[in-house]
Amino acid sequence: MSLWCDKHRPKTLNTLDYHKEQADQLKKLVHSEDFPHLLVYGPNGAGKKTRIMCSLKELYGPGVEKLRIERQQFETPSKKTIEMTTLASNYHIEINASDAGIYDRIVIQEMIKTIAQTNQLDAQTQKSFKVIVLTEVDKLTKDAQHALRRTMEKYMNSCRLILCCNSTSRVIPAVRSRCLSLRVPAPTADQIAMILKQTCKTEGLNLPQELANKIALKSNRNLRRALLMCETAYVAHYPFTNDQEISEPDWELFLRETARQIVQQQSVDRIVQIRDRLYELLCHCIPADIIFKGLLKELLTICDGQLKPQIVEIAADMEHKMNLGDKQIFYLEAFVVKFMSIYKKHLEFSLAGCI
Amino acid sequence: MKSWVSSAFSDSAFANTTKPTRTTRASSQKQTLSNLTNKEPKAKISEPFNSPAKKQKENTLSLSLKYEPTTRADLSVHKNKIDQLSNLLDQIISKERGSILLIEGPSGCGKYITLKVLCKEKGVELVEWDPSNVNLKSFDLQIDGEYNEPYESQIKNFSQYLFKSSRYESNQLFNNDKSTQNVKKVMLVKEIPNFAFRDPKIFVNLLNDFKRFSKFSLIFSLTQTTYSSDINPQKIFPTDIRKDLKCLEISFNSIANTFMNKKIEKIAKMEHFGFVDKKFLENLCSTSNGDLRHAINLVELTSTGHKVQFTQKKISKTKTGEAINFDSGSKDANYSIFRGLGKILHRKNVDNNFEEFKMPKHLVQYKRPVLSADPEDIYDKLPLSSDLILSYLHQNYIDIFNIKSSSSNFDCQFEALDSINDSFIMSDIINKTSCLFESGTNTGTQEARLKEISASISIRSVLFNFYFSTENESKSLWMPLFKPFNSKLIEAKLKRKKMARDFLNLAIENNSNMIKYLIEMNKEFFIELIPFVQLRSTMRRPPGQQRDNLVQMMFKPEFTQLFSKCTKTRSNQQQTTENDYENQQDEQDENVLLNENKPYKKESNVSNSANKGNYEYEDASGLKIEDFNF
């Protein structure tokens, strides 16, 4: 039994549910003589990957769906071997180079070199190039991105790159300018609700419109999450009722509670407790930037409007520094300390004003 | 001999690279044991400054050798310890069959001397293992007729020492003197051979064999070190091996100040130094840390350094002043982790008057009294990298800060906290930057310099901010120090990732759609997929509906950690009402569903324990100071 979000994923460009214009453009692009490097970006759960796979299918036919896992080894100059997992079909290969940490440059160079140096056997019937799909490009180091730029130019004949990331702000301009950028915006709540209803219909279930809207709202315009929520709701309670509870991932609840605790009391004791909670989140492999975002979002809803710009500024500063440094907990904690101090001062100030 | 050509990694090379202080000592001992008479040249090296007024022969010996105790009464060791060792020796000698005795203690506490004196008293001959034994080598080469081997394996050397001596009463190793045949022998190893550190197994096997076959007893004299883990005897003789070998143990303490004072006064008297000042003795005791050999060497050094006064017998005058500073001769003492961190976290001032300098008016609040210890000095002496110091400080500062600052107001507290956090962040970023230099070609100076700066920033910030004008005197309070959880966090994460990968690999067998998550392990999988799959499993299912594959899989015991819940607060309320129902349901399900192969009997237990939220962190925070192994 597979998850709905995998099971009902569109397989061709024609069956995509939204952004149909973009789908048409992609189709034209595929059938044109020259297929460029692509840089696909957009928020989580917007359908970047789906679109990439659909385009690949349009390019090569159903052969791209036969995926196999490959483990490749790379050796660093310091004789350390890194093992990378790649997903490959006969026509393309997918890799997340940011898994290699600071050695991502080597992985990218080596891998692209080996793939690009072998030409397709039958250039007449097939396309003359292979495709390399790189995910999470924004997490690559600057070094790796520069390496990417050079290899991109060098092996233009035999391979194309499809880069996939959340935001282009961390991709160096040199790489950006060599690709055709393609933004995949998140679907609207209405679109999500529609897709949910459609999915339930194919599953043979009846989803009331109201519940569909509710889920769509709660999903933050993330389609994957909406489908997961819907499925969870189905497992929890079927037939659907309009007022049934929609469960959220536990770490979000945990984060909300953490934010509440921060606002509730400002003291050194509380910082110790918050630190424990932050460690717990990190321990569960929740990325620190997502913790930052979640925490900031929760805190902003609680605190006064005057403070908002100041707090956002601090959070941005800390998050930036976090990327320079190493120990994520330091930055999270520093943010909490700064928030507490500002918040408390503001409270005291406004209290004094009242009297 | 071609020993100077041999590779640096060969065993013989290892044998020769012993600690300098030990070799001089070991070689001088060897002289007294074997009948070699070339005492003069060696002693001359150890003492280049001869005082001309003395007789030539006496003067060539260094003081520590010259006044080496020869009788029990002379020893500066506590009487009980001597008796203890004497009893143990008796035990060993009477037993005679391969018993092993470990003598432990810091350097210069009289382990060897006590043993020597006692052996002499009991008429037992001490046979020392000399790692640079040449005699044996030549003997061996002649037997084998092989001259092409420029060096001999240390393992071979050591095992020969162990076994040849036991099988044949008279041995090339020992004196060939027939007269010593009837004398009882005890074998002594003062330095654990280097191969033991590389491969403790071989060493332990050798000792096991020794226990079985040998007629003699073996004594190890081990110098205790506090911090260096690589050459710590504890590594060679962990407790379980001690038990297996049935080792007898005795540990010496460092020499008490009273004993040391007596001894030094005595030496001073014998050498006609005249009156020894009390302050000088105090100074000496504190610098030598209970190491008598070191103390005596210091005395000798100071006396030769002031040769002119010495000959004029005015030595006592120079010694009274504080002019003599032992800094140059003092031991290179490192702090233990506990002590070093304590020095940072518990600020110590020289005194509370800070009139020496005037601060401008707007900076008065930043005035701090003079510190008793230099922050950079602490860094030098702490056996930790700057990165680790930072982690340790971060882990531990907040508890202590909490107590110390409890009496000051919120603004003060948070200003200090803010400043500490900022410096920690700076320190962390500098550390990370220094790592970049590491991978480059020009390693060394730049990297080390950056690390120094980083450590300096973090240490100074803690020292600076841990000062409160209204300091409450809770100094007697004992605060445990914790290992930094941050470094454990990486391990925990890796473990979790590996678990997730295993889980996925399993899932892919059933469902090839899952394959794409292998690539995107970092994000979606942990923040979306796992939480929802986990939620599904805790939901109440409509009766008759089976658990799907994914949910079943995650109840395998090896994956429970992966799905342990984040929300302690929420789950308990909800779960308690449903638990009974759920458990019954589970068991029914299993019987129906999983009869074909391995039934997951543990299922209900596992899901319960998962609800309790057994995090690694809880384990980690339970770490107490005992874990440091001081």
Side-chain angles (χ1 to χ4, degrees):
Chain A
M1 170 158 177
S2 59
L3 297 165
W4 288 0
C5 59
D6 296 324
K7 203 165 155 191
H8 299 286
R9 186 184 295 273
K11 296 248 162 52
T12 61
L13 285 173
N14 293 330
T15 52
L16 288 174
D17 292 300
Y18 52 93
H19 305 329
K20 298 212 179 206
E21 249 178 71
Q22 197 184 43
D24 283 341
Q25 282 171 347
L26 267 175
K27 208 166 173 180
K28 276 182 205 157
L29 201 66
V30 168
H31 290 295
S32 71
E33 283 297 299
D34 191 28
F35 187 78
H37 296 303
L38 283 183
L39 173 63
V40 184
Y41 64 101
N44 279 336
K48 301 181 292 291
K49 231 19 188 325
T50 313
R51 254 145 262 260
I52 291 172
M53 286 313 287
C54 289
S55 317
L56 284 176
K57 193 171 179 191
E58 194 76 28
L59 264 175
Y60 296 111
V64 283
E65 279 168 18
K66 280 184 198 141
L67 293 173
R68 58 180 187 273
I69 305 166
E70 281 173 1
R71 295 211 162 74
Q72 291 190 20
Q73 283 197 339
F74 299 94
E75 196 171 273
T76 64
S78 52
K79 298 287 174 211
K80 197 181 155 196
T81 52
I82 325 161
E83 203 182 82
M84 296 292 298
T85 312
T86 61
L87 216 56
S89 73
N90 285 336
Y91 308 102
H92 85 290
I93 187 163
E94 199 180 322
I95 193 164
N96 186 353
S98 62
D99 272 350
I102 56 168
Y103 300 114
D104 50 2
R105 186 181 59 86
I106 296 146
V107 171
I108 285 195
Q109 276 178 333
E110 291 295 313
M111 199 194 60
I112 296 183
K113 211 184 280 172
T114 46
I115 292 166
Q117 279 170 349
T118 54
N119 287 320
Q120 294 281 53
L121 274 179
D122 189 1
Q124 251 66 48
T125 52
Q126 292 165 316
K127 297 278 174 191
S128 60
F129 53 84
K130 279 188 172 183
V131 172
I132 300 169
V133 180
L134 281 172
T135 52
E136 293 187 19
V137 183
D138 44 355
K139 292 252 177 78
L140 294 180
T141 58
K142 285 265 150 60
D143 245 13
Q145 293 193 28
H146 282 293
L148 197 60
R149 189 197 65 181
R150 283 192 293 274
T151 37
M152 249 171 154
E153 281 170 347
K154 203 169 169 189
Y155 301 109
M156 186 68 188
N157 285 332
S158 51
C159 81
R160 296 287 185 280
L161 287 168
I162 297 182
L163 312 177
C164 182
C165 61
N166 280 118
S167 145
T168 51
S169 61
R170 275 189 205 139
V171 181
I172 56 169
V175 169
R176 247 185 288 166
S177 75
R178 281 169 175 75
C179 301
L180 179 71
S181 301
L182 207 66
R183 179 164 177 268
V184 184
T188 60
D190 289 342
Q191 280 167 337
I192 288 181
M194 189 197 71
I195 292 165
L196 286 179
K197 284 207 80 163
Q198 213 179 320
T199 313
C200 284
K201 211 170 159 190
T202 43
E203 283 281 321
L205 308 169
N206 184 23
L207 181 73
Q209 183 67 41
E210 253 178 76
L211 187 65
N213 288 341
K214 216 168 124 188
I215 294 175
L217 270 181
K218 272 220 161 179
S219 68
N220 268 333
R221 294 176 70 191
N222 180 338
L223 187 58
R224 186 187 313 109
R225 175 171 295 192
L227 281 165
L228 282 167
M229 277 176 167
C230 187
E231 198 180 350
T232 320
Y234 159 70
V235 175
H237 195 274
Y238 187 81
F240 291 116
T241 55
N242 275 330
D243 55 346
Q244 86 180 83
E245 197 197 341
I246 299 158
S247 34
E248 288 168 89
D250 49 3
W251 62 268
E252 280 195 344
L253 297 172
F254 192 80
L255 201 58
R256 197 164 298 155
E257 171 64 21
T258 312
R260 207 183 55 75
Q261 284 185 8
I262 295 173
V263 175
Q264 200 178 45
Q265 190 195 333
Q266 289 84 34
S267 69
V268 183
D269 278 329
R270 194 37 70 90
I271 290 175
V272 178
Q273 287 163 21
I274 300 293
R275 178 198 276 191
D276 283 0
R277 293 179 75 89
L278 290 175
Y279 264 141
E280 226 156 83
L281 279 169
L282 286 174
C283 219
H284 282 73
C285 287
I286 310 291
D289 53 331
I290 284 180
I291 298 177
F292 249 123
K293 263 184 221 158
L295 210 54
L296 181 65
K297 202 179 130 206
E298 299 299 334
L299 289 175
L300 284 182
T301 56
I302 302 170
C303 74
D304 199 88
Q306 280 180 312
L307 295 178
K308 280 179 186 173
Q310 211 179 342
I311 290 166
V312 173
E313 195 189 328
I314 292 169
D317 182 39
M318 284 298 135
E319 210 242 336
H320 168 69
K321 280 181 181 157
M322 185 173 73
N323 286 317
L324 297 176
D326 197 22
K327 301 182 175 60
Q328 292 159 337
I329 187 75
F330 285 24
Y331 305 88
L332 289 166
E333 199 175 298
F335 172 62
V336 172
V337 167
K338 281 185 203 292
F339 175 83
M340 278 188 176
S341 130
I342 290 175
Y343 187 76
K344 178 103 176 200
K345 267 179 203 155
H346 180 75
L347 269 191
E348 276 165 2
F349 183 71
S350 53
L351 271 180
C354 283
I355 299 160
Chain B
M1 272 297 102
K2 282 186 191 171
S3 61
W4 49 275
V5 208
S6 64
S7 125
F9 302 105
S10 67
D11 288 316
S12 72
F14 267 109
N16 289 330
T17 56
T18 46
K19 281 182 254 167
T21 50
R22 293 298 218 84
T23 38
T24 50
R25 198 134 173 83
S27 55
S28 53
Q29 289 315 324
K30 206 179 80 184
Q31 293 154 10
T32 53
L33 278 178
S34 54
N35 296 329
L36 298 168
T37 45
N38 53 345
K39 278 182 184 178
E40 280 79 3
K42 292 236 162 156
K44 255 179 192 162
I45 290 162
S46 66
E47 196 212 21
F49 311 101
N50 297 334
S51 78
K54 297 273 160 186
K55 277 187 224 157
Q56 191 67 29
K57 202 167 187 190
E58 273 179 35
N59 252 325
T60 49
L61 273 175
S62 74
L63 283 183
S64 54
L65 285 181
K66 192 170 159 193
Y67 294 103
E68 202 178 84
T70 44
T71 60
R72 225 187 240 235
D74 268 354
L75 288 171
S76 300
V77 184
H78 198 272
K79 228 182 164 188
N80 290 351
K81 267 276 147 15
I82 302 175
D83 291 340
Q84 233 174 322
L85 185 61
S86 160
N87 287 341
L88 280 174
L89 268 180
D90 286 337
Q91 213 177 315
I92 282 180
I93 295 163
S94 59
K95 241 186 176 178
E96 252 210 15
R97 279 217 152 257
S99 43
I100 297 175
L101 171 67
L102 301 181
I103 305 178
E104 286 172 305
S107 62
C109 71
K111 299 179 293 285
Y112 177 70
I113 304 281
T114 316
L115 185 68
K116 213 171 104 178
V117 167
L118 284 175
C119 282
K120 201 177 158 199
E121 195 182 289
K122 292 179 201 306
V124 180
E125 189 190 346
L126 264 180
V127 182
E128 253 187 273
W129 181 59
D130 186 1
S132 53
N133 198 316
V134 189
N135 241 355
L136 184 68
K137 199 192 263 174
S138 56
F139 168 69
D140 238 20
L141 284 174
Q142 280 168 5
I143 293 269
D144 295 340
E146 285 173 8
Y147 291 92
N148 52 352
E149 210 176 270
Y151 62 87
E152 193 188 33
S153 152
Q154 200 189 20
I155 301 176
K156 211 169 152 196
N157 190 339
F158 187 68
S159 62
Q160 248 157 8
Y161 164 69
L162 285 185
F163 299 119
K164 288 227 168 160
S165 55
S166 51
R167 264 179 224 148
Y168 318 109
E169 290 275 313
S170 75
N171 191 303
Q172 195 72 17
L173 190 82
F174 303 143
N175 301 336
N176 263 344
D177 227 337
K178 294 286 175 196
S179 61
T180 55
Q181 278 265 357
N182 297 325
V183 178
K184 289 192 171 181
K185 283 174 190 164
V186 172
M187 297 157 75
L188 172 69
V189 176
K190 280 176 73 184
E191 281 166 60
I192 293 181
N194 285 307
F195 71 85
F197 292 106
R198 269 173 291 148
D199 205 343
K201 250 188 193 162
I202 295 179
F203 185 64
V204 172
N205 285 342
L206 273 179
L207 288 185
N208 268 324
D209 287 348
F210 175 81
K211 254 194 110 59
R212 254 186 293 161
F213 300 121
S214 180
K215 278 183 180 176
F216 295 97
S217 314
L218 189 59
I219 299 176
F220 283 96
S221 163
L222 306 174
T223 305
Q224 269 171 346
T225 49
T226 42
Y227 54 92
S228 60
S229 53
D230 286 352
I231 50 163
N232 206 333
Q234 197 70 29
K235 204 176 140 199
I236 308 292
F237 288 106
T239 36
D240 51 328
I241 286 180
R242 285 174 197 222
K243 237 180 218 170
D244 283 351
L245 292 171
K246 286 183 189 139
C247 293
L248 300 165
E249 293 168 49
I250 184 170
S251 67
F252 278 58
N253 298 326
S254 48
I255 288 176
N257 285 357
T258 46
F259 278 121
M260 197 182 280
N261 286 351
K262 261 188 215 163
K263 187 83 188 170
I264 290 182
E265 271 172 0
K266 195 176 159 198
I267 289 176
K269 218 176 179 182
M270 305 267 282
E271 287 284 309
H272 309 291
F273 284 170
F275 174 72
V276 179
D277 188 64
K278 257 210 174 138
K279 211 157 196 179
F280 170 77
L281 277 179
E282 245 171 58
N283 203 354
L284 196 66
C285 288
S286 67
T287 41
S288 55
N289 280 329
D291 186 342
L292 186 57
R293 184 193 311 141
H294 182 245
I296 295 173
N297 283 342
L298 272 182
V299 169
E300 189 174 359
L301 193 72
T302 44
S303 65
T304 48
H306 299 266
K307 210 164 21 178
V308 190
Q309 285 98 333
F310 182 37
T311 46
Q312 291 164 357
K313 305 217 169 172
K314 276 181 184 171
I315 189 88
S316 53
K317 270 189 185 169
T318 51
K319 276 178 185 171
T320 49
E322 278 118 310
I324 298 173
N325 195 356
F326 284 116
D327 261 5
S328 55
S330 72
K331 283 179 91 176
D332 186 19
N334 277 6
Y335 296 149
S336 66
I337 299 172
F338 192 76
R339 182 148 172 248
L341 288 177
K343 271 198 187 288
I344 302 170
L345 291 169
H346 300 278
R347 183 194 169 94
K348 247 190 198 164
N349 305 324
V350 169
D351 46 15
N352 272 329
N353 76 41
F354 31 128
E355 298 306 312
E356 288 171 28
F357 51 94
K358 274 240 160 73
M359 291 286 252
K361 245 184 194 166
H362 61 289
L363 292 176
V364 166
Q365 51 168 327
Y366 298 120
K367 203 164 180 178
R368 300 283 187 271
V370 182
L371 280 171
S372 65
D374 181 37
E376 281 74 31
D377 198 40
I378 298 175
Y379 169 62
D380 283 342
K381 288 186 176 171
L382 257 179
L384 295 173
S385 71
S386 61
D387 195 45
L388 261 177
I389 291 178
L390 188 59
S391 294
Y392 267 105
L393 285 180
H394 184 261
Q395 180 72 38
N396 293 301
Y397 84 95
I398 198 147
D399 289 326
I400 296 165
F401 181 82
N402 200 358
I403 289 169
K404 285 206 170 180
S405 68
S406 53
S407 57
S408 47
N409 65 344
F410 178 84
D411 282 349
C412 262
Q413 275 187 340
F414 271 73
E415 200 182 313
L417 266 186
D418 204 28
S419 141
I420 290 178
N421 267 312
D422 276 347
S423 347
F424 278 175
I425 283 174
M426 212 189 316
S427 175
D428 183 43
I429 293 176
I430 294 175
N431 254 332
K432 173 106 185 259
T433 323
S434 77
C435 288
L436 292 180
F437 284 109
E438 205 168 3
S439 57
T441 42
N442 52 347
T443 51
T445 50
Q446 277 166 316
E447 186 204 345
R449 186 80 196 115
L450 278 175
K451 289 217 153 128
E452 235 168 72
I453 293 169
S454 153
S456 173
I457 290 174
S458 56
I459 292 173
R460 275 175 186 271
S461 85
V462 172
L463 284 170
F464 178 77
N465 288 304
F466 272 42
Y467 175 74
F468 298 97
S469 47
T470 53
E471 201 161 346
N472 53 335
E473 292 301 314
S474 56
K475 269 176 189 167
S476 56
L477 202 81
W478 183 75
M479 292 294 300
L481 287 180
F482 296 106
K483 272 186 182 172
F485 180 65
N486 201 33
S487 34
K488 256 210 151 175
L489 183 68
I490 299 159
E491 259 171 61
K493 271 189 181 173
L494 277 180
K495 202 174 149 196
R496 233 176 134 70
K497 276 195 182 157
K498 194 182 165 289
M499 233 167 1
R501 197 160 280 146
D502 290 348
F503 176 74
L504 271 180
N505 282 332
L506 210 76
I508 287 165
E509 283 174 23
N510 294 319
N511 173 10
S512 58
N513 274 334
M514 298 283 289
I515 209 170
K516 73 181 205 58
Y517 290 107
L518 260 185
I519 294 291
E520 282 159 33
M521 285 281 297
N522 292 330
K523 262 189 174 169
E524 299 158 21
F525 192 70
F526 282 107
I527 64 174
E528 282 171 6
L529 198 79
I530 284 187
F532 277 110
V533 173
Q534 177 196 340
L535 270 178
R536 249 180 6 167
S537 67
T538 51
M539 291 292 171
R540 190 201 301 197
R541 278 156 292 137
Q545 192 198 329
Q546 291 179 355
R547 277 195 165 139
D548 50 46
N549 288 334
L550 269 181
V551 176
Q552 268 175 38
M553 256 182 271
M554 55 174 276
F555 275 114
K556 285 194 171 180
E558 63 259 36
F559 294 128
T560 49
Q561 262 278 309
L562 183 59
F563 295 99
S564 68
K565 300 195 76 174
C566 256
T567 43
K568 280 187 218 168
T569 45
R570 189 186 56 113
S571 63
N572 288 345
Q573 300 155 4
Q574 277 192 1
Q575 231 70 45
T576 39
T577 49
E578 291 175 15
N579 250 348
D580 308 55
Y581 171 78
E582 180 79 13
N583 284 349
Q584 280 171 11
Q585 192 74 26
D586 277 345
E587 267 149 21
Q588 279 172 20
D589 277 5
E590 280 151 34
N591 295 341
V592 180
L593 193 131
L594 298 161
N595 264 345
E596 337 100 30
N597 41 27
K598 304 166 261 172
Y600 298 115
K601 271 283 174 190
K602 281 182 190 162
E603 186 167 349
S604 51
N605 300 336
V606 168
S607 64
N608 278 342
S609 69
N611 286 341
K612 280 176 211 151
N614 43 346
Y615 301 109
E616 288 223 353
Y617 181 58
E618 287 180 351
D619 300 339
S621 63
L623 285 173
K624 289 281 178 304
I625 198 67
E626 293 93 72
D627 293 355
F628 286 107
N629 231 345
F630 288 138

